[in-house]
Amino acid sequence: LPLRRNFIGQYGWLRRTLFGLYSSRVILGKDGFFFYNSDASADGFTTKDFRGKTQPDDKTLRVWQRVLAERQAWLTERHVSYLIVAAPNKHTIYADQLPHEELRRRGSKVRLDALVELVRSATPTTLTWPVLDLRPSLLAKKSAGLLYHKTDSHWNQLGAFYGDQAIVERLRAHYPQLRQ
């Protein structure tokens, strides 16, 4: 159906507006922000990750390191440079828009912290890929405009643009001919 997305959106709007009904997959934030509640679904860890409940154990970290090292070796054989880019979720960038009770449950570390630490602390013989954590870049640009859709979990064009700028800036160190 070509208009399926519109119908679904209108159905959701009617449920919210007329009956005050919200999906259990939604955490109602401040100022019209909606956040994905992965606790109500079996398809993700976003909420648990934000709360610091999904920290990888040593076995998982070893698997991550092995997989990354194998990929690095494969790409190095083919003379391919690689940059690990870590895109943050909306919870991280717009934590100030989450309800107070959700903020009280926030963890001190998320899985992305473990991955960044793993890559940055690896010995040169095991893993030498650079990692770009986009959290600082996007947090710094938050005042320039809305970076994520208010009612969706994905970044919008402005958020993607600033993410792209950070990636190009990082790659420019190795490829000075790159332009924004």
Side-chain angles (χ1 to χ4, degrees), residues 82-88 112 115-116 119-120 129-138 155 162-172:
Y82 195 81
L83 174 65
I84 296 173
V85 178
L112 179 52
L115 176 64
V116 168
V119 173
R120 288 186 178 158
W129 284 345
V131 62
L132 174 59
D133 180 357
L134 291 178
R135 290 176 292 186
S137 298
L138 291 179
W155 55 12
Y162 287 131
D164 177 63
Q165 277 190 325
I167 293 166
V168 170
E169 186 63 33
R170 182 65 175 269
L171 291 174
R172 192 178 286 131

Side-chain angles (χ1 to χ4, degrees), residues 24-37:
S24 62
R25 294 181 181 177
V26 173
I27 296 170
L28 297 176
K30 302 171 190 169
D31 300 322
F33 273 81
F34 290 3
F35 293 87
Y36 177 60
N37 180 13

Side-chain angles (χ1 to χ4, degrees), residues 46-136:
T46 308
T47 311
K48 286 184 177 101
D49 191 40
F50 181 77
R51 294 175 183 156
K53 305 288 186 199
T54 59
Q55 289 301 307
D57 57 17
D58 288 339
K59 180 181 177 186
T60 302
L61 289 171
R62 284 192 304 273
V63 169
W64 288 0
Q65 187 166 12
R66 180 185 51 78
V67 168
L68 290 172
E70 287 170 1
R71 288 179 183 169
Q72 177 182 325
W74 189 88
L75 290 166
T76 301
E77 256 179 45
R78 289 154 181 80
H79 307 286
V80 176
S81 299
Y82 195 81
L83 174 65
I84 296 173
V85 178
N89 65 45
K90 183 177 172 181
H91 288 66
T92 302
I93 302 303
Y94 287 103
D96 58 324
Q97 295 298 327
L98 282 161
H100 180 70
E101 65 272 8
E102 195 62 37
L103 285 174
R104 282 187 295 113
R105 298 164 75 180
R106 184 174 193 176
S108 59
K109 288 180 91 175
V110 295
R111 288 176 299 160
L112 179 52
D113 294 320
L115 176 64
V116 168
E117 188 177 308
L118 172 75
V119 173
R120 288 186 178 158
S121 67
T123 60
T125 56
T126 57
L127 203 55
T128 58
W129 284 345
V131 62
L132 174 59
D133 180 357
L134 291 178
R135 290 176 292 186

Side-chain angles (χ1 to χ4, degrees), residues 123-157:
T123 60
T125 56
T126 57
L127 203 55
T128 58
W129 284 345
V131 62
L132 174 59
D133 180 357
L134 291 178
R135 290 176 292 186
S137 298
L138 291 179
L139 285 167
K141 297 293 187 180
K142 215 169 105 170
S143 62
L146 193 61
L147 305 177
Y148 285 70
H149 298 285
K150 278 188 163 189
T151 58
D152 193 340
S153 60
H154 298 91
W155 55 12
N156 58 25
Q157 288 177 323

Side-chain angles (χ1 to χ4, degrees), residues 3-23:
L3 298 175
R4 180 178 184 272
R5 186 177 175 109
N6 288 341
F7 288 138
I8 291 171
Q10 289 172 357
Y11 172 71
W13 179 84
L14 282 171
R15 283 177 46 106
R16 291 187 305 273
T17 306
L18 296 178
F19 306 110
L21 299 173
Y22 294 87
S23 169

